[in-house]
Amino acid sequence: MPERWGRAAWFVVSVCISLLTVQRLGARRPAIIAYLLSPPVLLSLLNANVECLPVLGFTLSPALGLLLVSMKPQSGLVVIVFWLVEAWRVGRLRAVVRVFAPVTALALASFALWGL
């Protein structure tokens, strides 16, 4: 696939993910338009960044959302810490293990395959 096609396909996917995210957060049409036309979002879309994936992760359950939020920990660190505290508050160690097991398993598999 030529690079232009890939960038165009990722642009469409990113716009769809962004629309899904803001709809899940309960935004109405003016807020959706303002979000999509904001400079950070436009630059992310035009540069084919993956910023839309961690933002989608904020709207998912913690176990699934951590997989996406951990892609960009600099923008999701506070949410990761919040989910850790919430899991501890709700179910102590068992809940923390349940929430963080998928992302921990993937991180360990990554280190085993490719090293640090």
Side-chain angles (χ1 to χ4, degrees), residues 51 53-55 57-58 65-84 100:
E51 297 291 334
L53 294 175
V55 174
F58 297 152
L66 273 171
L67 297 171
L68 295 176
V69 172
S70 63
M71 290 173 64
K72 301 283 279 187
Q74 66 271 28
S75 62
L77 183 62
V78 174
V79 174
I80 293 170
V81 171
F82 173 76
W83 282 337
L84 174 68
F100 282 81

Side-chain angles (χ1 to χ4, degrees), residues 7 10-11 14 43-50:
R7 287 179 69 88
W10 182 246
F11 180 86
S14 295
L43 286 173
S44 178
L45 291 171
L46 293 174
N47 289 322
N49 288 337
V50 296

Side-chain angles (χ1 to χ4, degrees), residues 9-76:
W10 182 246
F11 180 86
V12 171
V13 169
S14 295
V15 169
C16 291
I17 290 172
S18 296
L19 287 172
L20 174 68
T21 301
V22 293
Q23 285 178 340
R24 288 180 64 103
L25 293 172
R28 295 201 173 114
R29 185 168 291 161
I32 292 170
I33 293 169
Y35 176 77
L36 288 176
L37 294 178
S38 68
V41 174
L42 278 177
L43 286 173
S44 178
L45 291 171
L46 293 174
N47 289 322
N49 288 337
V50 296
E51 297 291 334
C52 61
L53 294 175
V55 174
L56 176 64
F58 297 152
T59 67
L60 299 175
S61 69
L64 292 174
L66 273 171
L67 297 171
L68 295 176
V69 172
S70 63
M71 290 173 64
K72 301 283 279 187
Q74 66 271 28
S75 62

Side-chain angles (χ1 to χ4, degrees), residues 83-114:
W83 282 337
L84 174 68
V85 170
E86 274 299 298
W88 181 262
R89 188 183 65 76
V90 170
R92 301 283 182 213
L93 183 61
R94 179 172 284 178
V96 170
V97 169
R98 182 180 48 79
V99 169
F100 282 81
V103 74
T104 303
L106 283 176
L108 292 174
S110 171
F111 293 147
L113 288 171
W114 293 289

